[in-house]
Amino acid sequence: MLLYNELQFFCRIPLLVALIVFYRFTGLAYSDTYFLTEEHLHKANDGKIWIKKPRQKTKVVADIPLLEVPLQILEKYRGQQTGGRLLPVCSNQKVNQYLKELATVCGINKELTYHVARYTFATSLTLLHDVPMASIAKMLGHTNIRQTQHYAKATNILVGRSMQNLSEQLNLHMEVK
């Protein structure tokens, strides 16, 4: 039998997953997601929807083209919030508490926090898919590449892929003896 607290936690999992996926696909900081409203959504000439939002922390505009997944999340929760906010974001402390509980339930031995999703966006989602560092900086709302390099770490996968691309460009075959 589930206790009330456990039931309450499990009922929040769909929202928590939606928020983490949204964070991971946009790279927005917690406060920027919390204060996201319709006025921050813009349709480009090609019909694509972008988030254009001054970051709460720095006031530098983050320009983020939205992929289908975060668009679906926005649509799912549209109109459910007060004050014009687009997503039902609870406090940062509560999100991190739920993530810690979720990690425990799932047997994940890594500290999960909201901010980890921002790092994941910078590294796993963008950098590992050949998005240029300057573009990542623009989406994260950074004013210089140094800030972005703190988030977007070169991984062994990226280094290996880069060397494979170099090898192909030089028309060489790398052999390990």
Side-chain angles (χ1 to χ4, degrees):
M1 180 167 86
L2 288 176
L3 300 172
Y4 176 74
N5 287 345
E6 291 171 329
L7 183 59
Q8 191 177 24
F9 170 72
F10 283 110
C11 289
R12 293 191 185 273
I13 287 178
L15 171 60
L16 183 62
V17 169
L19 290 174
I20 289 302
V21 170
F22 185 82
Y23 300 153
R24 184 168 187 227
F25 273 82
T26 63
L28 282 173
Y30 167 81
S31 60
D32 297 319
T33 304
Y34 184 89
F35 291 109
L36 188 66
T37 64
E38 288 286 342
E39 74 181 52
H40 301 121
L41 300 181
H42 298 272
K43 186 179 265 192
N45 291 338
D46 63 2
K48 304 273 187 206
I49 305 296
W50 286 57
I51 293 174
K52 292 182 177 283
K53 183 182 186 316
R55 295 213 40 230
Q56 294 294 123
K57 182 177 177 181
T58 63
K59 306 302 180 219
V60 174
V61 174
D63 288 319
I64 306 161
L66 290 176
L67 300 175
E68 188 59 33
V69 171
L71 282 170
Q72 289 176 4
I73 293 169
L74 287 173
E75 191 56 40
K76 178 178 180 173
Y77 292 102
R78 182 169 266 129
Q80 296 182 20
Q81 296 308 299
T82 59
R85 292 186 306 120
L86 293 179
L87 294 168
V89 181
C90 53
S91 74
N92 195 23
Q93 294 80 6
K94 202 51 119 169
V95 169
N96 289 334
Q97 176 189 337
Y98 290 146
L99 284 172
K100 185 176 182 179
E101 292 176 32
L102 187 61
T104 300
V105 168
C106 295
I108 298 171
N109 295 323
K110 181 179 180 174
E111 184 179 0
L112 295 182
T113 65
Y114 166 80
H115 207 66
V116 168
R118 191 161 161 86
Y119 282 90
T120 302
F121 170 79
T123 301
S124 299
L125 192 64
T126 56
L127 193 61
L128 284 178
H129 289 91
D130 301 322
V131 175
M133 192 68 76
S135 296
I136 298 169
K138 185 78 170 150
M139 289 184 278
L140 292 176
H142 291 161
T143 55
N144 65 57
I145 298 295
R146 275 201 173 164
Q147 291 173 290
T148 308
Q149 288 170 334
H150 175 70
Y151 284 85
K153 305 280 187 200
T155 64
N156 287 342
I157 294 169
L158 185 60
V159 172
R161 187 184 304 154
S162 296
M163 289 307 290
Q164 181 62 38
N165 288 342
L166 176 62
S167 173
E168 290 170 6
Q169 289 176 12
L170 296 174
N171 212 7
L172 298 174
H173 297 287
M174 296 172 60
E175 291 183 19
V176 178
K177 294 183 181 186

